[in-house]
Amino acid sequence: MDIINELMSYRERDIPYSRVLSSMCTVPHPVAVKAHEIFIETNLGDPGIFVGTIELEKKTIEMIGELLNNRNASGYICSGGTEANIQGIRAARNLKKVKDPNIVIPKSAHFSFEKIGDILGVEIRRAALNKDYTVSISDVDRLVDENTVALVGIAGTTELGQVDNIKELGKIAEENGVFLHVDAAFGGLVLPFLSRHIPFDFEIRGVSSITVDPHKMGMATIPAGGILFRDERFLRALEVETPYLTSKYQYTLTGTRPGTGVASTYAVLKHLGYDGMKEMVDGCIRNTRTLVEEMEVLGFEPVVEPLMNVVSFHAKNPEEIKEELYRRKWVISTIRNPKAIRMVIMPHVTEEVIGSFISDFRKIIS
Ligand SMILES: *Cc1c(COP(=O)(O)O)cnc(C)c1O
């Protein structure tokens, strides 16, 4: 038991989620924890052994595909948005063989694309943003050339939760015969449940692949990301031969990989269903509105009116505010352009959490 006590002493030093307004991760749903336990020793890297688990992964992808307007999407549950983005772009690069491949991404793209440029040897071209911080379609158009292997649109930017005009990106993609990857790591499990219809998924013809992370708004256990392709052909472009396993080919980036993400993702979606997920998302949106109202009373204006449960507020001294809050055991984040403090209102950020946060926030600014 000494070891357990030792482990507990480390774990107790972690900051509990109830003080965290900076993270897109959250406390997993209880049914996800249960599912995780049942699948704890599974390895999807060897699907001939884990026959049931691989079947469950197919069903999980089908379920997410249905939510994203393509029941026949192909893909798999991976380690998170970073791996999903790598794999989306890797498929695009493998399919269009050019000497000096480039991809066109918005300036607002997640830092995982930095790694993608490095690993995949593709040039990263960054398109300018409009006043509302969505990508400028004309700048994307300007940057595309014959060596462009993929365009990237974001459905739920990490800093502001904005959604690019995926419809227009789809048009450019179709006109140029180029792959379009949508990074909906965060928004993929928010947008389908909003009352307002914001097109971003496979309903748009030009969309080739989508990243969606169940370990964010899907309340699955970490790690659980998702990469979905419109067509099985794209997944095939990732295959390598696997001589000594139960399968002949492998399209995943990692070899050994857990079935826990599959099981916990499936469990939450199945348990909550569409209505339960919508209720959860509605709650986060409501709490976001409350936070915005309270912050406005204190003189802090949102950079853009939040579309979903991510919001940044203009601030003259974001770093100081962040540090002062950290001293009071609150974690928020900051963005540099424009200077602002950023918060994500995940399911663990309840009305009570917001109340007590605002009360401390008031103290540090007075
Ligand atoms: C969170 C996020 C990622 C990265 O996902 P990880 O699971 O941290 O690897 C990529 N893109 C966007 C838009 C995200 O919100």
Side-chain angles (χ1 to χ4, degrees), residues 24 79-83 85 109-113 154-158 183-187 211 213 215-216 224-225:
M24 287 182 159
S79 65
T82 301
E83 182 181 342
N85 284 342
H110 184 265
F111 58 81
S112 49
F113 287 93
I154 308 173
T157 59
T158 313
D183 183 357
F186 187 79
T211 286
D213 276 0
H215 68 201
K216 290 177 177 168

Side-chain angles (χ1 to χ4, degrees), residues 126-147:
R126 291 184 165 78
L129 305 182
N130 298 316
K131 278 209 182 72
D132 67 356
Y133 300 95
T134 61
V135 74
S136 156
I137 298 300
S138 58
D139 208 39
V140 171
D141 210 20
R142 183 181 67 83
L143 291 168
V144 175
D145 64 18
E146 65 276 13
N147 288 331

Side-chain angles (χ1 to χ4, degrees), residues 69 167 191-201 203-204:
N69 283 303
K167 255 190 179 159
L191 294 168
F193 306 108
L194 297 182
S195 3
R196 202 176 132 200
H197 176 66
I198 302 167
F200 76 101
D201 61 20
E203 82 174 280
I204 297 164

